[in-house]
Amino acid sequence: MEAFYYLSNQLEDVLIEESTSLISRFCQRLLDAVRQGDYYRQIYRLLGNDGHLEIQLKQLELQLINALVSEAKTECDRYVRENHNFYNEGTFSIFQFRQTVQQTDQGYDCESILAAEPAIRQLLKLDFEPKVSATIHKNFRQTVNNTLKNQLIPMAKKQADTILQQFNQARSYLEQTLEQEAAEKIANNARKQEEIHQKIEDYNQAINSLNTCLTAMGLQKNHLPVIGEQELEIVPEVVNHSSN
């Protein structure tokens, strides 16, 4: 019986460790998927934050780990109880059990126990292999799925309601955002317009210098035109069009 408890505790440690690792990887992948979603960017634009989604997911990760640790302990508690068919007459397990008892009953020293070690290992293998297989392929897989479903769906609904209740905050923040974006566009257009005016001024200076040279050479008819105030009236339209 002590061997049963020892193996159960060892398997419990493994199951807890792997369950914790599984949930950590799952929650990280879920968080990465959330961050890449269009809805995440939209929430950030409306609220200025993620609506506490990341905090909720971190808390959910701890809840999932705690739930599966408890489920893992319950699952491994079954290992210390033999299957009710294990000692049925005509089964290989009852034959192996009798062989083991016969070997260990041959003396009171440790030599008989050491000699019976292969038989004991075989007996434990017959008992534990089906249980571990059932845990991996059936019992705990369903436990993990149910735990994820029971924890994730209520959390998602609650978080959606929480975000929807922040409508007034979202409207106020969006107004501020739009005002800031409009101010930035106006400032950007003004800067571009100033750059264009400066380039036109530099151009006109260069043309005037060239026309002075042409006049000195007696080529007044070949003067190049400068950009006048009338042409400058279209500059805001050009700037706005380039900005759009």
Side-chain angles (χ1 to χ4, degrees):
M1 182 58 71
E2 184 177 349
F4 279 88
Y5 278 105
Y6 176 80
L7 286 176
S8 295
N9 290 334
Q10 293 296 310
L11 290 170
E12 180 181 309
D13 291 341
V14 172
L15 191 56
I16 288 175
E17 181 181 352
E18 293 303 320
S19 298
T20 302
S21 176
L22 173 67
I23 293 301
S24 296
R25 294 196 305 271
F26 171 81
C27 288
Q28 185 59 51
R29 291 179 62 183
L30 178 60
L31 180 57
D32 292 341
V34 167
R35 286 172 175 170
Q36 295 173 7
D38 289 337
Y39 57 87
Y40 187 81
R41 290 187 287 271
Q42 292 171 4
I43 291 174
Y44 235 107
R45 177 170 173 77
L46 289 173
L47 298 176
N49 56 64
D50 65 351
H52 308 299
L53 272 173
E54 291 194 19
I55 294 176
Q56 291 296 325
L57 287 175
K58 289 296 183 182
Q59 293 176 352
L60 177 66
E61 180 178 352
L62 295 177
Q63 294 172 7
L64 288 171
I65 289 175
N66 291 334
L68 284 182
V69 165
S70 178
E71 294 291 346
K73 292 180 179 179
T74 301
E75 179 69 23
C76 291
D77 284 345
R78 303 190 183 103
Y79 290 171
V80 299
R81 299 190 298 270
E82 295 90 341
N83 188 292
H84 65 280
N85 295 322
F86 193 75
Y87 297 113
N88 285 352
E89 289 296 334
T91 61
F92 182 74
S93 54
I94 188 60
F95 169 77
Q96 186 67 34
F97 176 75
R98 287 170 176 166
Q99 288 290 106
T100 304
V101 172
Q102 182 178 356
Q103 286 184 268
T104 57
D105 196 40
Q106 291 178 358
Y108 295 99
D109 55 6
C110 63
E111 292 184 2
S112 60
I113 300 295
L114 293 175
E117 183 178 344
I120 295 173
R121 288 181 177 274
Q122 182 63 27
L123 181 64
L124 292 174
K125 181 179 180 181
L126 289 173
D127 184 78
F128 273 86
E129 241 182 18
K131 294 176 181 177
V132 173
S133 179
T135 293
I136 296 173
H137 298 106
K138 182 181 178 182
N139 298 341
F140 207 68
R141 174 182 293 185
Q142 188 63 36
T143 296
V144 171
N145 291 338
N146 289 338
T147 302
L148 290 175
K149 180 178 67 176
N150 294 335
Q151 295 281 349
L152 280 173
I153 294 177
M155 176 266 182
K157 291 181 178 179
K158 180 181 178 181
Q159 192 63 28
D161 291 339
T162 300
I163 292 174
L164 290 175
Q165 290 172 5
Q166 301 182 58
F167 173 79
N168 291 332
Q169 177 184 342
R171 182 174 61 183
S172 175
Y173 182 81
L174 185 59
E175 288 176 356
Q176 296 176 8
T177 301
L178 293 176
E179 288 178 2
Q180 182 179 355
E181 290 177 352
E184 291 175 354
K185 287 183 179 180
I186 292 173
N188 187 47
N189 284 345
R191 185 176 64 256
K192 288 184 177 180
Q193 189 172 359
E194 181 64 27
E195 291 175 356
I196 291 176
H197 276 284
Q198 184 61 47
K199 290 180 179 180
I200 290 174
E201 185 177 343
D202 295 341
Y203 170 81
N204 285 342
Q205 289 179 357
I207 292 300
N208 287 331
S209 298
L210 184 58
N211 287 340
T212 300
C213 293
L214 292 175
T215 299
M217 298 171 62
L219 300 173
Q220 291 87 343
K221 294 183 179 181
N222 295 322
H223 279 191
L224 298 174
V226 295
I227 298 177
E229 293 295 330
Q230 185 176 2
E231 287 85 352
L232 288 178
E233 293 178 359
I234 66 171
V235 169
E237 297 182 2
V238 174
V239 173
N240 290 332
H241 178 71
S242 64
S243 177
N244 292 335

